[in-house]
Amino acid sequence: MFLNTSINKFRIQAFLALILILSTSIPAIGQSQATTYQTDTTVEVMILGTGHFGNPGQDVINIKFPDVLKPKYQKQVGQVLDSLATFNPTKMAVEVRPSYKSKFDSLYKAYLEGSHSLSRNERQQIGFRIGKRFNHSHLYSIDHKGKFPFTKVVKYARQHNPQFVNYFKALRKEIESEDQELYNNATIREILQEKNSPQNLQKQRDFYAQTAAVGADTTWVGAKLVSQWHKRNIKIFGHLAKIAEEGDRIIVLFGSGHAPLLRYFVNSSKRMKLVEPLDYL
């Protein structure tokens, strides 16, 4: 009985001594994390959503962008670049998959050397021209390949969820009408302002939410589709996080459909600060 009491007393003393050692040699977990995050919050990121200048026709809803090679629009692009330049970007990240990086880099090099004429697409009209202005040796290819078979959702909805079909028809009609009128009559600056407006961002978030509900509790066809879209954008953000370094000011130039999710991921990172493109347009 006495032996057990002595052993227990020794164990208690040893335990208290261990607690004392740990408390004096290791900082509090919360304090350590706070210090780390405070010193790491150094990367400013602007998610600049655009229409596709070259009209590749690869989106769910495609609107014909004006010919930006015409002198009228070249002047407007130049004015937008002057505004974006006040952000003083240290890096340009663009919607190009790493598998195309070699070809893309060679085009940019040729442009810097004066042997390549810019095409219509926004990666060159904005990306190349900003890169050259700030003497960037290269642009960063951070896209990731993904599938977005929206026709499967529509096919299912026609049989099981006609309300979604009606919603999408109305949305398509609204976007085609409003955006085509915008593209036909607005300046490049005004188009970019609309693409990055809170109203447009919310409209896209709502589209993903409506789509996710199609086939709920059965095939989950909508949720699967939206999860694929999230997966692609998570990987794009992963590429972005990998290239981000202390003190960077990065412009991320992507189709506006990516903007809601990329903005969310940047906002979620304590290493990054989201910069509003509207402040520079």
Side-chain angles (χ1 to χ4, degrees):
M1 183 71 176
F2 175 78
L3 180 61
N4 288 339
T5 302
S6 298
I7 292 174
N8 287 337
K9 183 177 180 181
F10 174 77
R11 287 175 175 173
I12 292 172
Q13 291 174 336
F15 178 73
L16 292 174
L18 178 61
I19 292 296
L20 179 62
I21 292 171
L22 290 175
S23 65
T24 56
S25 62
I26 301 177
I29 292 177
Q31 181 181 358
S32 174
Q33 289 178 336
T35 301
T36 300
Y37 283 134
Q38 286 172 1
T39 57
D40 282 350
T41 308
T42 57
V43 181
E44 297 186 28
V45 180
M46 179 195 301
I47 306 296
L48 180 60
T50 72
H52 291 304
F53 291 9
N55 296 311
Q58 298 174 346
D59 294 330
V60 173
I61 301 176
N62 296 284
I63 313 298
K64 188 176 180 181
F65 209 90
D67 185 357
V68 295
L69 294 182
K70 291 183 177 180
K72 166 186 173 181
Y73 293 112
Q74 282 294 292
K75 181 179 179 181
Q76 293 175 10
V77 171
Q79 292 169 343
V80 167
L81 296 178
D82 289 341
S83 296
L84 292 174
T86 62
F87 177 60
N88 295 313
T90 59
K91 290 175 181 173
M92 285 290 305
V94 291
E95 192 172 352
V96 175
R97 295 199 295 270
S99 57
Y100 291 101
K101 180 182 183 302
S102 178
K103 181 178 180 180
F104 187 72
D105 287 350
S106 67
L107 287 175
Y108 180 58
K109 181 180 179 181
Y111 169 65
L112 294 180
E113 295 171 347
S115 58
H116 172 70
S117 298
L118 295 177
S119 71
R120 289 179 173 83
N121 77 63
E122 66 279 0
R123 295 181 295 274
Q124 296 192 23
Q125 286 294 324
I126 296 179
F128 278 16
R129 292 169 70 173
I130 285 286
K132 181 178 181 179
R133 182 176 295 206
F134 286 90
N135 298 314
H136 294 174
S137 60
H138 62 282
L139 277 61
Y140 291 83
S141 305
I142 67 167
D143 194 14
H144 186 84
K145 185 178 181 180
K147 295 181 179 180
F148 201 69
F150 186 68
T151 53
K152 289 185 178 181
V153 176
V154 175
K155 182 178 180 180
Y156 178 90
R158 284 195 182 112
Q159 294 182 351
H160 306 282
N161 192 344
Q163 296 92 341
F164 178 80
V165 176
N166 293 334
Y167 154 78
F168 179 68
K169 285 182 178 179
L171 179 65
R172 179 193 286 273
K173 184 177 180 180
E174 175 187 335
I175 291 176
E176 288 177 343
S177 174
E178 292 181 356
D179 280 19
Q180 197 61 70
E181 182 178 359
L182 178 73
Y183 286 8
N184 291 342
N185 300 297
T187 65
I188 299 299
R189 184 190 303 277
E190 290 168 341
I191 292 171
L192 292 176
Q193 287 173 339
E194 174 58 28
K195 288 294 180 183
N196 292 277
S197 68
Q199 297 88 345
N200 190 59
L201 293 168
Q202 178 54 42
K203 185 182 294 184
Q204 295 190 70
R205 286 192 293 265
D206 181 64
F207 170 66
Y208 301 139
Q210 298 278 359
T211 302
V214 177
D217 294 327
T218 54
T219 64
W220 295 103
V221 63
K224 289 176 182 178
L225 183 70
V226 175
S227 68
Q228 284 296 107
W229 184 242
H230 277 67
K231 182 178 180 180
R232 178 183 174 188
N233 283 278
I234 288 170
K235 290 184 176 182
I236 292 169
F237 175 76
H239 287 310
L240 172 62
K242 187 175 181 179
I243 69 167
E245 298 176 305
E246 182 177 344
D248 269 341
R249 298 169 63 84
I250 307 174
I251 295 180
V252 179
L253 183 67
F254 264 70
S256 60
H258 296 272
L261 289 178
L262 293 181
R263 288 172 60 92
Y264 169 77
F265 296 133
V266 170
N267 255 333
S268 300
S269 172
K270 289 190 176 182
R271 290 188 60 227
M272 299 181 182
K273 175 185 176 182
L274 182 66
V275 175
E276 288 296 338
L278 294 180
D279 293 341
Y280 294 87
L281 289 173

